[in-house]
Amino acid sequence: MTEPELTPPEQRLHDLLADVRDREPDPGGPGLEDQIMRTARWQYVARGTLRAVGDLSAVVAMGLRLLVGPDGEPRREPRS
């Protein structure tokens, strides 16, 4: 099986971990780099999803505030 191509941030992580490997023999075991990469990848996906949910929640809250009004009382049309 071939390694997937690394994105620029993943390549940077690989380079930083290479520095650690040079200084410390076996810093976290043989699978440390793979484990960090997997964690970073699922966090990247989760971050996008959570951000979308947060944005949607903010839009709903703003819409409710427009309907209800800033003081919690329903808005009324002014009488002429």
Side-chain angles (χ1 to χ4, degrees), residues 13-31:
L13 174 65
H14 177 74
D15 295 342
L16 290 171
L17 289 175
D19 291 341
V20 172
R21 276 192 301 274
D22 292 343
R23 281 185 267 147
E24 298 251 348
D26 198 22

Side-chain angles (χ1 to χ4, degrees), residues 10 34-50:
E10 290 172 342
D34 292 336
Q35 185 178 7
I36 292 173
M37 291 281 193
R38 280 193 306 271
T39 300
R41 285 177 179 155
W42 78 256
Q43 286 177 352
Y44 180 78
V45 173
R47 181 177 150 216
T49 304
L50 291 173

